[in-house]
Amino acid sequence: RDKGEQGSGSGGGYGFGATPAGVFVLKDGDAIWRPAIDVNRIVLGGQFVAVVLLLTLRTILKKRRRRR
């Protein structure tokens, strides 16, 4: 391929990406599985869910108070 020439590949990715679940570490003849866990992403997701839950509960409680 010449410089500046664009490729015209075709694939079934549909714009999705993949993240590895982990890696096998080979050491002294043993293979050990090490999961690739991003703890920061888990904590951030939990915080997001908690905020949405609290906002939903606040809305429900406000509507109940208005009915009385």
Side-chain angles (χ1 to χ4, degrees), residues 1 4 9 13 15 17 20 22 26 29 33 35 37-39 41 46 57-60 62-64:
R1 194 176 342 169
L26 302 175
W33 176 256
I37 297 174
D38 187 2
V39 177
R41 182 178 283 182
L57 287 173
R58 185 183 82 168
T59 303
I60 291 170
K62 277 185 175 182
K63 287 187 177 187
R64 282 188 178 180

Side-chain angles (χ1 to χ4, degrees), residues 47-65:
Q47 289 173 345
F48 178 75
V49 169
V51 167
V52 170
L53 178 66
L54 289 173
L55 291 174
T56 304
L57 287 173
R58 185 183 82 168
T59 303
I60 291 170
L61 291 174
K62 277 185 175 182
K63 287 187 177 187
R64 282 188 178 180
R65 287 182 190 162

Side-chain angles (χ1 to χ4, degrees), residues 4-38:
E5 188 178 319
Q6 294 291 326
S8 60
S10 62
Y14 300 106
F16 293 108
T19 18
V23 53
F24 282 104
V25 177
L26 302 175
K27 186 176 180 181
D28 297 329
D30 293 329
I32 302 169
W33 176 256
R34 299 285 182 180
I37 297 174
D38 187 2

